[in-house]
Amino acid sequence: MTAREAVLTALRSARGLPVGEQVTEPIPVLQVEGDPTHAFERNARALLAEVHRTQGWQAAWQHLESLIRARGWQTAATWGASAFPQPGLADVLARSGCRALQPSDWVSADVGITGADAGIAATGTIVLASGPGKPRSVSLLPPVHVALLAESRIVPTIEDWLVVNAQALPQSAGVVFVSGPSRSGDIEMVVTLGVHGPGEVHIVLVCSE
Amino acid sequence: MKPVAKDFIPASRIALADDHLRKAIFAGAMRPYLQAAERWAETSGRERLRTQAREARVRALRKLPELLERLEKNLLSRGAKVLWAADAEEANRLIAQECVARDARLVVKGKSMVTEETGLNQHLERAGMEVVESDLGEFIIQLAGETPSHIIAPVLHKSKDAIAKLFSERLGLPLTDDPAEMMRAARSYLREKFLRADVGISGVNLAVAETGGLVLVTNEGNGRMVTTLPRTHIAVMGLERVVESWKDLASIVQLLPRVATGQSVSTYVSIIHGPRQQGEPDGPEELVLVIVDNGRSAILNSDYAESLLCIRCGACLNACPVYRRVGGHAYGWVYPGPIGSVISPLLLGLAEAPDLPMASSLCGACRDACPVKIDLPEMLVRLRAEPPMRRKGGRMMSLGMKMWRYVMLHPSVYRWGLAATRFLTRPWHGEDGSLRGLPGPASAWLESRDLPAPAPRSFRALYRGPER
Ligand code: SF4
């Protein structure tokens, strides 16, 4: 008998939990009060992400450009152009003199620029799903991560997003929920940022015009 | 990790004598957790979320074999490989085989309790591989050659000075008292390892059968590194960590950080559905899931099945007055605190950890803290009554208990005994009103307890009225 059969047989014949305990279908518990976009902003800031509110994609790209200039980022790792809802990234990089690196050099990039598949209002989280043009390491390797999130993609809770997207989840080998910069409290509970992932997270919120 | 759970009593004596451990770390360092727990206790919706998380886990345990098969089927259909291990030895052997087949020299690991349980690192090292822990806490532990003392905060027992000294000796970092600087030194050391590693090994916080997704929760991002950069990702999972649906997962994932560290959400929740899919620019080319039993199916077949609901959040440790005084190492194995006192004897064998079920005041704080409402005190009491433990007390103990029972059932004997006790213990009445230095077996009992000396007049006498 293989280990698989042995284990499954043992589980099937196990006594298990005592019967009698009622289990019901889950209903959402955590809810968002007020405007989801405002809740998103507030909660993302509480996680130490910086939120930049802009009106429309035009303004969003402009804001990204000024951010790159102000911070002096020279090199970038980015999602593919087709992974953003609107074109504009290539122009921003060209105008600001920031060079888009090849994947093999991403580990030395100053900034990683991605879109976002969703925003979670209750916690200020962004959702990134892997796929063509959407590599996972862009939001992971550089010390700074900038994500452009369309306001229309904000949903109230993690649960809302998971339940709606459950069947589509397997289309991405890796989905990640990002809530602020990478952090650790392992050394005497002092919070330090940027342990393995980015120590700085910017969310450019693209509101409808 | 070699279990030394047998030595709880001597180990806890040593820990209790360690003033630094007790005061500096457990009082100071755990405060943020405890405050967070208090804040959370007042949140509306807490009880409902706890109920749902428990129900999600109960539902999963009731259908465990079916859910595991569904998980397997879904993962296989996307090109992952699924292996089953009946025990620790088999798990280690299978994982080593996978590594050797890929000519792996360097293996990076994310935080994983189950590989801690099987002692995987030593096994891979003996096979000639370099194994690097990448969770900051686990990395420090590994450098120091120690073992974790807390499920969530593995280096809770180490002061930052001790860590600074370790980093200066092992990484050449100039002595500093800035945790951020220590963190950066570890970051750049580990960066290089991540980029060179052949295999990444991770644990699995939960798996979702519905679609075959593996869920990893981390704050540092090491879980993402391990599952993104190396060519091969091996995920190792205790077989109880599966839930049925994404709805069920949502209840747990929303609850876990709140009780574990007081965060409203963990920094990274990764959902993995297989190796890199067609058209995807990065991610591992291969995914291997190892499903480990190692005593869990036997627990499901015992009176202690409820302990398999555990989501390893660490809240019961933080809440436990015993854990808070003796720390994690005294428990002698991977799982400390109340949950460890229940599952260590079950996983290792009752005779291997006979004192752990006694390491509780049965105050119930762990049950109140547990997000899935596991009745830990009740299980500890039941464990105390298991045959090998019962024998532990020996004949003297059972004779004593029989006498006690007789006395309690006979009021006249009780009255007489009380008067006799008052008279006979008179030479040992201490000035502070307690008994001091009693002879014989009583001395052992009094070593760590205060027993007040009998009052000059008993309650019954007082009740009858003033002395005439
Ligand atoms: S027993 Fe409950 S409180 Fe303790 S670690 Fe498990 S889930 Fe958390």
Side-chain angles (χ1 to χ4, degrees), chain B residues 66-391:
Chain B
E66 181 197 324
L67 296 186
L68 287 170
E69 282 181 303
R70 234 157 100 201
L71 174 72
E72 180 187 42
K73 191 165 147 256
N74 279 322
L75 278 168
L76 289 176
S77 76
R78 279 186 300 276
K81 184 170 175 178
V82 179
L83 301 171
W84 300 68
D87 55 22
E89 201 196 321
E90 188 169 21
N92 290 344
R93 187 164 44 77
L94 288 170
I95 298 165
Q97 264 171 20
E98 293 297 313
C99 293
V100 169
R102 288 163 182 81
D103 232 343
R105 299 271 158 73
L106 174 60
V107 175
V108 282
K109 279 185 70 203
K111 201 163 156 29
S112 141
M113 300 298 296
V114 65
T115 60
E116 201 88 55
E117 182 186 317
T118 66
L120 176 69
N121 291 16
Q122 295 87 316
H123 191 87
L124 294 181
E125 279 161 6
R126 254 182 274 126
M129 281 166 255
E130 182 186 354
V131 185
V132 182
E133 291 286 349
S134 64
D135 171 88
L136 183 55
E138 297 281 344
F139 171 67
I140 293 167
I141 293 285
Q142 193 187 25
L143 272 190
E146 294 177 6
T147 53
S149 61
H150 190 283
I151 299 181
I152 301 291
V155 278
L156 196 62
H157 61 285
K158 269 185 116 59
S159 70
K160 81 181 170 199
D161 295 343
I163 298 169
K165 198 156 153 279
L166 180 71
F167 276 21
S168 99
E169 281 163 16
R170 301 294 306 275
L171 304 181
L173 177 76
L175 279 179
T176 168
D177 65 356
D178 180 5
E181 219 164 291
M182 298 180 218
M183 178 277 282
R184 279 193 292 271
R187 172 185 166 107
S188 61
Y189 179 90
L190 290 169
R191 245 318 139 102
E192 191 262 339
K193 300 285 180 194
F194 283 128
L195 293 168
R196 274 202 304 121
D198 306 296
V199 172
I201 297 182
S202 77
V204 175
N205 286 82
L206 287 161
V208 180
E210 185 181 9
T211 59
L214 307 178
V215 180
L216 262 75
V217 182
T218 72
N219 278 318
E220 300 177 355
N222 61 318
R224 291 183 69 194
M225 289 287 200
V226 166
T227 60
T228 304
L229 297 180
R231 219 181 71 85
T232 305
H233 168 207
I234 303 179
V236 191
M237 175 183 111
L239 58 73
E240 82 282 18
R241 338 229 90 230
V242 65
V243 293
E244 184 170 22
S245 67
W246 288 102
K247 234 182 192 177
D248 282 345
L249 188 277
S251 331
I252 298 173
V253 117
Q254 292 180 106
L255 185 56
L256 179 64
R258 288 171 210 269
V259 292
T261 54
Q263 295 167 282
S264 60
V265 60
S266 306
T267 308
Y268 301 118
V269 178
S270 305
I271 300 174
I272 293 163
H273 269 101
R276 179 194 300 195
Q277 301 295 299
Q278 212 181 2
E280 286 192 349
D282 62 359
E285 286 162 34
E286 294 175 297
L287 171 67
V288 182
L289 173 67
V290 184
I291 300 174
V292 182
D293 183 337
N294 202 30
R296 288 163 173 77
S297 57
I299 296 182
L300 192 67
N301 192 31
S302 74
D303 288 341
Y304 305 94
E306 196 190 351
S307 65
L308 295 174
L309 299 176
C310 175
I311 55 171
R312 306 277 188 266
C313 72
C316 58
L317 281 60
N318 303 343
C320 177
V322 175
Y323 176 87
R324 260 143 72 174
R325 276 159 193 80
V326 304
H329 286 150
Y331 291 82
W333 202 45
V334 211
Y335 305 109
I339 184 65
S341 294
V342 171
I343 62 175
S344 297
L346 296 173
L347 291 172
L348 296 170
L350 297 174
E352 284 301 311
D355 296 320
L356 289 186
M358 313 293 168
S360 167
S361 63
L362 303 179
C363 67
C366 51
R367 182 183 44 209
D368 294 342
C370 178
V372 288
K373 301 195 259 191
I374 299 177
D375 197 344
L376 293 159
E378 207 264 341
M379 278 192 276
L380 288 169
V381 171
R382 233 182 304 149
L383 273 170
R384 289 178 183 185
E386 292 286 348
M389 316 250 167
R390 225 174 350 179
R391 226 178 299 126

Side-chain angles (χ1 to χ4, degrees), chain A residues 32 36-37 39-41 43-44 115-128 147-162 165 176-179 203 205:
Chain A
V32 180
T37 309
F40 176 86
E41 271 191 88
N43 291 321
D117 294 88
I120 311 290
T123 50
T125 303
I126 52 174
V127 185
L128 309 172
L148 287 89
L149 167 69
E151 185 190 18
S152 58
R153 294 188 176 182
I154 293 178
V155 298
T157 66
I158 289 187
E159 189 169 349
D160 293 316
W161 192 82
L162 278 177
N165 290 281
V176 63
F177 290 73
V178 177
S179 304
I203 301 164
L205 197 56

